Amino acid sequence: YIKELKQTIKNTSSGLLESFRGLTVTNEDVSYIFKYTTMYLE
């Protein structure tokens, strides 16, 4: 059962990543990322 579950999770994550490949990033997306992301430079 665990082996089947791992395979299902792997297939789902692969499909999700593949769906992101075709998306276009908009200015609104970039603004959202900048608003909710913190970078620390050392």
Side-chain angles (χ1 to χ4, degrees), residues 9-28:
I9 292 170
K10 182 179 177 184
N11 290 341
T12 302
S13 62
S14 294
L16 185 59
L17 288 172
E18 184 63 32
S19 70
F20 287 147
R21 183 176 291 183
L23 295 177
T24 302
V25 177
T26 65
N27 287 337
E28 183 179 344

